[in-house]
Amino acid sequence: MASLRDIKRRIKSVRNTSQITKAMQMVASAKMRRAQELALKGRTYMSALANVLKHLQDTLADGAASPLMEERADGKKLIIVVSTDRGLCGGLNSNLFKEVLLKCDADADYLTVGTKLNSQLVRCGRKLVATFTIGDTVEEAELKPIFQLVRKGFTDGTYNRVEVIYQKFVNVMVQRPDVIKLLPLSQEDLMKVAGQDAIEDETNPNFLLEPDPKTLLNAILPLYFGHQLVQMILEGKASEQSARMVAMKAATENAKTLIGELTLEYNKARQTQITNELLEITTAMKAME
């Protein structure tokens, strides 16, 4: 049996740990609310933008209308992996990595947003061409190099397809890995993003466009492509903070349970020690009679 001093030391250590996990839970909870709000607002914006593009039927039917819509046979595939920069978020990154192994081509180039999966990707033979770190507050200046690299790689023919794998935010308890085609853009992809809004607007499909549809398309498509990537990063941030809050809450509760068990063990050991001391005193008194 462990000594009383050892048990007290363990209780103190676990209590200190529980205070840290409780503080991390509160911080993650505050960040989660902000990240969740941004992710949900972003969905509405993306749906409205896709709904506008959907109505450019004639222009969208022209494959040469925009370089971002060109289908090519030559070139490699680029896969963007949106993970986290820090751990302590449960199985979020491990579940994402399993999805990468199942659904992503081994011979593709990989670009990571978040560094947590870099070592695993390299270890399993995936070619990592670039990695970026994004703060909790997603800033446009941080994302601009990513947009430029991806867009240049696609338009110059280095890549014929760009996909993004990320953790889609469902709710606080559920985050689901998802793979989305980012480039080339297509009418079918826009219809999926537009969703219910596209169905409701079928009764009034005519838009008054100024300037001409092709110019408008070439201006809006890069905006749509950029915000689609931003949306996936926001989804990943909301998933990260939700998973971290749940993990830290579970850790705090486990620490409290362990403190209770250690306290019970300490009381039993203390009671045993007192009993033994009383027996020694009684035995000594009888020996002196």
Side-chain angles (χ1 to χ4, degrees):
M1 180 180 292
S3 66
L4 293 177
R5 181 177 296 177
D6 291 337
I7 297 174
K8 288 182 69 175
R9 187 180 296 114
R10 289 187 62 191
I11 291 175
K12 182 179 179 180
S13 176
V14 175
R15 183 174 287 113
N16 291 338
T17 302
S18 69
Q19 292 174 351
I20 295 173
T21 57
K22 179 65 175 178
M24 293 183 67
Q25 175 191 340
M26 296 175 65
V27 172
S29 177
K31 290 182 177 180
M32 180 205 68
R33 286 192 291 270
R34 176 60 176 165
Q36 179 180 346
E37 180 183 354
L38 291 175
L40 295 178
K41 286 183 177 178
R43 291 179 185 178
T44 304
Y45 177 80
M46 288 303 303
S47 177
L49 192 59
N51 198 23
V52 171
L53 288 171
K54 180 192 72 68
H55 289 287
L56 303 176
Q57 297 287 346
D58 296 337
T59 305
L60 292 176
D62 182 5
S66 172
L68 298 179
M69 299 179 66
E70 292 182 8
E71 298 280 352
R72 304 189 189 94
D74 298 331
K76 299 182 65 177
K77 181 185 291 186
L78 176 66
I79 297 175
I80 302 174
V81 181
V82 182
S83 63
T84 69
D85 290 303
R86 297 185 295 272
L88 299 177
C89 50
L92 191 75
N93 287 312
S94 59
N95 292 337
L96 184 65
F97 183 65
K98 291 177 183 177
E99 201 74 5
V100 170
L101 296 179
L102 287 174
K103 296 185 177 180
C104 298
D105 296 344
D107 58 349
D109 287 350
Y110 284 78
L111 182 153
T112 59
V113 180
T115 60
K116 202 62 181 177
L117 292 182
N118 287 1
S119 58
Q120 291 94 317
L121 290 172
V122 173
R123 194 179 301 120
C124 69
R126 307 299 168 100
K127 183 180 178 182
L128 187 62
V129 296
T131 183
F132 295 89
T133 299
I134 304 297
D136 292 329
T137 56
V138 181
E139 302 290 343
E140 184 178 353
E142 296 177 307
L143 299 175
K144 190 174 181 179
I146 305 177
F147 297 153
Q148 292 175 341
L149 190 152
V150 174
R151 186 176 178 181
K152 182 178 182 299
F154 182 78
T155 54
D156 66 14
T158 303
Y159 303 113
N160 60 6
R161 185 180 177 93
V162 180
E163 293 181 352
V164 182
I165 180 167
Y166 68 107
Q167 288 283 4
K168 184 174 182 179
F169 177 78
V170 180
N171 54 51
V172 175
M173 300 299 296
V174 180
Q175 300 84 39
R176 184 176 63 249
D178 199 7
V179 181
I180 297 295
K181 184 186 76 171
L182 186 64
L183 294 173
L185 297 171
S186 66
Q187 178 71 1
E188 292 75 16
D189 297 332
L190 296 174
M191 289 291 291
K192 291 179 182 178
V193 177
Q196 186 63 32
D197 292 338
I199 299 175
E200 293 174 354
D201 286 347
E202 285 298 324
T203 56
N204 185 25
N206 296 319
F207 276 66
L208 179 62
L209 302 177
E210 181 66 32
D212 61 278
K214 186 173 182 179
T215 302
L216 186 61
L217 179 68
N218 290 331
I220 295 180
L221 277 179
L223 180 67
Y224 176 82
F225 147 71
H227 279 282
Q228 190 175 25
L229 183 56
V230 170
Q231 178 62 27
M232 295 174 188
I233 294 175
L234 290 175
E235 296 270 352
K237 290 295 182 182
S239 298
E240 175 187 356
Q241 299 302 338
S242 298
R244 182 171 291 116
M245 188 197 70
V246 172
M248 291 302 99
K249 182 178 180 181
T252 303
E253 292 175 351
N254 290 339
K256 291 180 180 179
T257 301
L258 183 57
I259 290 173
E261 294 174 353
L262 289 172
T263 302
L264 181 61
E265 182 180 352
Y266 175 83
N267 292 335
K268 288 181 179 180
R270 179 63 177 157
Q271 186 177 16
T272 301
Q273 184 182 41
I274 294 173
T275 302
N276 290 337
E277 290 175 353
L278 289 174
L279 287 175
E280 290 175 0
I281 294 172
T282 304
T283 302
M285 291 179 63
K286 288 187 176 181
M288 293 175 62
E289 291 179 354

